[in-house]
Structures are given as C-alpha cells and as structure tokens.
Amino acid sequence: MPTEKHILGIRHHGPGSAKHVAAYLEAVKPEIILVEGPPDADHMLQWVAHEELEPPVALLVFNPDDPKLSVFYPFAVFSPEWQAILYARRNNITVRFMDLPVAHSFALKKEQWERANENTDQDAPQAIDESGNDTAEDAPPEIPIEEMPRSFRRDPIAYLAEAAGYDDGEKWWEQTFENRVSDEAVFEAVAEAMTELRQTIGQPYERHEAMREAWMRKTIRQAEREMFQSIAVICGAWHVPALQTMPPQKEDNELLKGLPKIKTDCTWIPWTYSRLSYDSGYGAGILSPGWYHHLWDHHTDDGTRWIAKVAQLFREKQMDTSVAHVIEAVRLAGTLAAIRNRSKVSLDELNEATLSVLCMGDSILLQLINRELIVSNRIGSVPQEIPKPPLLLDIEKQQKKLRLSPTADSKEYQLDLRKDTDLERSILLHRMLLLGIEWGHELHARGKGTFKENWRLQWEPGFSVDIIEKGSWGNTLLEAVTQFVIHTAAGSGSLSDVSEMLVKALPADLPEAVNALTACINNLAAGSVEVEQLMKAVPGLVHVSRYGNVRKTDSEIVAAMARGMITRITVGLPVSCTNIDADAAESLGELIRKMNEAIQLMDEEASTNEWQLALQIIATNTNTVPVIAGYATRLVYDCRLLTGEALVEQFSFAMSPIQAPATAAAWLEGFLKGSGTILLLDNDLWLIIDNWLVSLNEETFKNVLPLLRRTFANFSSAERRKLGEKAKTGTNGRENTKNAANEPEFDHSRALGAIPAVLQLFNLKLPVA
C-alpha cells in the first residue's frame, strides 16, 4: 500500500497552527509523527507527557567540551510542535525530530569560524553571517539577497503580505491562518501559498538551509522504509514544498556526504515567555506570548475575557476600572475589527480600545499591560529526575532545599543571617555570584545592622548554559566555586582584584579558597611597590575584619593583613602624593578618602596613629600637589590635630599672595572637599579667603573662578545658600562682634528661676549644700 504523507506547514509558536495540528492529527491518526527539531534530542521526547514537565520549556543542546556552543529549542503550550509531540506520547505513537542534527551544525560552524579566523584574524562570532549559514560555495539566487528589502530577506512571507495589502508578514499570517475558524483545507492552502511563493521569487540558495531540507527528506524516507503507512510531518510553512516534491535520493546523499560531527548532549530546562521573543533553534520568535497563551485557552474569546484581565490588573494596581469601561472597550474593539474587515478581534484592536477607554489615552499604562499580560512572566518547570549535568543538578537541589525557586519575575528577599536557613541562602547566592551566575543582586541594606542582607532574585534561562560551562570546575557548587576562585586568583597579578575576591569569598563560606586567597594577597603585598594597589585592597579587608564575625569567620587573619598593608601605605603614600598630574591627584584623593573611612571603621590605635602621622607629613610637605595637601590638612583638622592658631597659620600660608592663584585655589578645593560648613562656623578662615579673593586682579580672578565654582558646586544646596547669604551681607568677624555687642545682656535671675522646672522634667533634685 502506498504511504500517506501529511505535510503540515505551521508557524512556530502559533496558537491557531497548534489548534489546527491537534485537530488534524485526531482526524487522520498517523502511525508516526516527524517534527522539525534536533534528532540529537530524540531520547528526551519521552519526558513530554510527564506531569512535572510544564511549558514553557526548552531543549538545550550543547557541546559538553564547550558549553557556550549551545542552542535552545523552546516550546510553549501553544506551540504546534509541542501539541504534536504531546499527541504522540499520549497515544503511544512513534515521534521523532527530523531537522539537521545539531552535532553537524555545530561542527560546520566551528569549521567556518576557523576559516574566518585564518583569513581575517577576527573573533569567531564576527565570522558568522546573520543567518548562521556557510556561504562559501553558495550559488547566486534568482533574486540577489542584497536587492531584496531587508524584511523580506528574513521573512519571504512578507511578499504575500504585501500582495494582500499588509506591511507586516506576521500580521498577515495571523489574520489569514492563525485566526481561521475552520480547520478545513488549511494545510492545503498553506502548501499552495508556499509553493507559489518559492516558485515566484525563487529560493536564495543557502547551503545550510538546503542541508536541513535534505535531512528532513532523509528522515521521511527512513520512515517509509520502516513500513509506516501514515506519516505526519510538522514543519515550518516555508519547508512544505521541499518535502512534498522530493528530488532523487542521490542528490540529497551527495549534499549530506562527509558532514563533520562533534559530540553533543541535551536536557530540558525551564523557559520564560519573555525569552520566546528571541531567535532560537527555529530562528523564530514572537512578541506576545502571554496573548497567544490566552488565545490557546480561550480561542473563541471576542475580547471580553482579555479586557476583563486588563481591568483586573488595573484594580490590583489600585486603579479604578468599572464594568462599564470593560463593556465599552469590548464594543470599540469589535467595531474596529469590523471596519478593518477582520474575521476576529486581534491584539491591535484590543490595545487601541484599551488605550482609549481604560487608559484614558495614557500610553504609559500600555507598558504595564505589555509587561504583565501581553508578554507575561510565566516560567516553566521540569522534573528533577531529568538527566542533567552534575553541577546543574546540585544547584537545583539546593534551590529546592532552601525554597528559592527560580522565577521569571523579580522577587526580593530579606535574609536574617542569625537564622540557619537564611544564612545558607546567603551562602548559596554569594557562591553563584563568584561563579559568574548573577541570579541574585544584593541590595543596599537599610540600617546599621550587619546581620541582614537584601537580595533581588530573577532567573534567566541562559543561566543554565553558564552553569553547564562552569561544570568543568567541579560536580558540586562548593567544589566548582572553590576551584574556580583559586584558579582565577592564581592567574591575577592585581592585589586589589584578589583582595576584592577575598571579600566576596568570605560570605560564601569557602575555607579552602580563603586560605589560598590569603596566601596570594600576602605574596602580592610583599612584592607590591604600588601604594595605590594597597589602598584599593584595604577598605574591603577592613570591612570584613570589622563585620566578619557575623558569619562566624576568622576575621583576625584579615585584620592582620589590613594592618600590615596600612603600615606599608603610610610609609609610601607621602612620596606618591608628589609630582602627579590632575587626573592622578583626583584618583589618589578618592583613595585617601576611602582609606580614612576604613581607618576610622577599624578603630585601632596603632593604625590610626600611623595614618594620622602620614596625613600630617602630606599636609606640610611643600612638594605635595596642592589639592591633596589641602585635603590632608582638612582630614588632620577633622581629627582635631590641627586647630586654632595653627590651623589659621597653615591656611594663611596656603592662601598667601606668594602662592600662585591656581595653586591656592587647588589647595582650597582639597581643604573644602565634602563640606563647606567650616567656612560658616570659622570666621577667621572666612576672612582669609575673603582677603585672598580681594587681592586677586581681574585676570587672575577669571582664571581661578572655574576651580572655585567646581569646589562650591560639591556643597549641599543648604550650604551654598548660607554661604551666599554670608557673602551678600558682608558678615565677618568684626561685624559679628559688633552685633554681639548690641544683643541684650544675659538675665541670670530669669535663668535661675527655670532650673527647678528643668530638674523636675529630668526627675532630679537639687544637691544639698
């Protein structure tokens, strides 16, 4: 008996196509179903009927030796391929993938990269063309690709859309096939349209595309040889003509002869609707997966259910929406569809009606609808027992144990490190960050407590590839992170980078890695002559030594390292502050600020004394660059080591006429860095600056004005306002004295009368004489 072949051309991730496919398969009941997809993953199809494999999910096919060489094949519940595979599994029918194996595609890409690198010495990814095809031996198409409109190069169906009066091929397909109510002859119509299209415009000869279709035909022939009498083929609409009229087998064999091959592995991973908009293994994506899911669940909806969802969303966001709004929006959407001669209300009409009626013309609210409903944050799930790489499996087990389920939407957690579960959660998140997997982002915690952490978690499907790639460092998260950190530190020659890594490793509870990092820091510090490198390392170490005991870490080791570095810094810093340019001075000034804060936080007398002595040397050294000399003087003043007449004397010298105006302005900028309150409180310093400014001639004043403006621009608005008022009124020390003389004398008798009331408020008694 002749074999019946049913070639069903579909749109990937199309709810209408999925409905037509499901109905067609129920009608013809084929013996085998062939689906466009990677044959490398045939053994993973057995999981499709599993109750815990809930779409959206994706087949991840990767090269175990180089996991970055990977590709995703996503499926949603409304994907025609998913419905075909699900039908086969539920009815115990043979189902196979029939696309060109990824093992060959990867090998071809690697060869293409290698050739491109030999010819251009560029990075491999830059050598791949937009379609990922090997075009070295391509024959010219009937219509050269460069002469086609850009949208037509990627979507030939746009020609049919243009003929029908549409400017978008996707919208034409949706109105013509996805929204079609009747299933009758839909696939015959698709085949006829695609055949005519390929005959009219010709198919640009792409070797990779030709090999894909040749492999599909090879799979169909294999099914025929196995004596299957009824074969259903689910493929992209474009491929239908190539599978209906098959060339001689010899031609396909020649095309597929000698294909290179590399090792591949695969697994199921959760996917998200937001990622369905990306190009994938099918080279297709959609922009409204949430809307398509709604169409799959309610394909007869005239817009009422959808607008009701929008209204519910608005009410959850505390926005008033009445039933009348819903009714009017549905009516308007239906009217728009009728005017446009459409058989069914589409998302365009619903959005326009929502904007007019529910959003009151405010397009910002449509962004909320797009994020929450049209795209949606739905994420799929996969069974724990699905074969996976060991590291990925270990991380999933820890996520389940600690109740940190990966979700597509952003979720915040506040962890109390005094609780065992929260401490383990924190350790897990810190370890994944060290491994380069940014699932969690630590937020700034409010308050001064050191036992709390705030995290924002959001899972991306691409993290699975990153985890698989890091699997070469170990089979468990602890092992992989430890080995990865030790290897990274060994290859780094930067003291600040290794110190930063130590700061990150301590909260991750990695004792072996901490010991290795400590030894590395000691070696780098002993051989380092760059004060800046040491200064970058100290603040992080001080913070750990001060607060590390919350995690029960041995902070004394870190404190000892910090003390040793501080001693080396105080010896070398004064010399480093001389003979440097403005940019280097600005950078060094910021390091000095952080060092000063770290010293204050450390609160150790020996280190504090060493630091303050270094600041005094910097402040009084005539070779120190002015801006740093001024800043060092300010820090010494803040420590109360320079006050009264000594401060005025040093200030006067720095602002005296013997100094170049630019030098004086730079010194003043450093001294006032961070706060100008001192000028409001100390009239002697105010008079020195006032006299210095008065002494400048017009040309010199214009030259130093930008420096002064930059200095005062860093003050708070309240400080600037008060300084302006003080300058405007001409208030100085002498006038303050005069004003003080006019003030009424202090009335001691009235003050004595208030003492009993004050003592009573504080529940105190007068001492007995």
Side-chain angles (χ1 to χ4, degrees), residues 102 131 134 163 182 218 331 371 495 530 610 626 633:
V102 176
S131 63
D134 184 355
S182 172
K218 176 183 177 180
R331 286 177 176 172
R371 183 179 69 252
L495 178 60
E530 296 185 10
E610 290 177 351
T633 304

Side-chain angles (χ1 to χ4, degrees), residues 229-354:
Q229 298 301 310
S230 179
I231 303 173
V233 176
I234 315 299
C235 65
W238 178 255
H239 302 299
V240 171
L243 305 184
Q244 281 185 328
T245 305
M246 297 198 293
Q249 182 176 347
K250 182 179 179 181
E251 293 183 13
D252 288 341
N253 290 342
E254 277 298 317
L255 188 60
L256 301 174
K257 183 179 178 180
L259 284 178
K261 185 177 182 180
I262 62 174
K263 184 168 59 175
T264 59
D265 200 354
C266 56
T267 187
W268 286 104
I269 64 169
W271 203 249
T272 63
Y273 273 173
S274 60
R275 298 276 296 193
L276 276 178
S277 61
Y278 297 171
D279 281 2
S280 61
Y282 301 120
I286 56 174
L287 299 177
S288 51
W291 161 249
Y292 282 177
H293 190 109
H294 173 81
L295 287 182
W296 173 256
D297 288 340
H298 311 287
H299 61 276
T300 59
D301 181 28
D302 63 351
T304 304
R305 287 181 176 272
W306 178 259
I307 297 295
K309 281 185 177 181
V310 174
Q312 182 181 8
L313 173 63
F314 281 4
R315 290 174 188 139
E316 290 174 355
K317 301 298 182 181
Q318 308 301 317
M319 290 181 275
D320 292 335
T321 306
S322 67
V323 176
H325 284 96
V326 174
I327 294 173
E328 289 303 317
V330 173
R331 286 177 176 172
L332 178 57
T335 302
L336 290 173
I339 292 174
R340 294 166 182 171
N341 197 27
R342 293 182 174 178
S343 60
K344 188 176 181 180
V345 173
S346 70
L347 184 60
D348 288 341
E349 287 79 41
L350 290 172
N351 279 343
E352 292 175 26
T354 300

